[in-house]
Amino acid sequence: MLPVIGLDRIVLETDAPYLAPVPHRGKRNESAFIIHTAAHVASALQLPVDEVSDMTSNNAKALFSLDI
């Protein structure tokens, strides 16, 4: 499904406090675990994690009009 959506339309978030990504399943979710979500997206799209990180950060900045 991710290839159909496209990386230019994806943002990553950690708003599910009780749904931590593997390998932290069963623990309370925290922002530090976002790298696992990014790695899963990168794997699904066959892209480097750095590219997914950069693009999703830029997407969030544009979506929320952030100037950071």
Side-chain angles (χ1 to χ4, degrees):
M1 185 56 118
L2 289 174
V4 173
I5 295 169
L7 187 56
D8 63 325
R9 294 176 162 201
I10 296 173
V11 295
L12 304 180
E13 53 87 19
T14 58
D15 196 33
Y18 301 105
L19 188 58
V22 173
H24 301 287
R25 194 58 51 94
K27 298 179 184 175
R28 184 171 172 85
N29 200 5
E30 60 182 70
S31 298
F33 299 160
I34 197 75
I35 189 63
H36 301 293
T37 306
H40 182 80
V41 170
S43 176
L45 297 175
Q46 299 180 347
L47 295 170
V49 174
D50 290 347
E51 185 174 341
V52 169
S53 176
D54 290 345
M55 185 64 153
T56 56
S57 293
N58 289 336
N59 293 346
K61 289 174 188 175
L63 179 65
F64 296 110
S65 300
L66 302 174
D67 188 28
I68 55 174

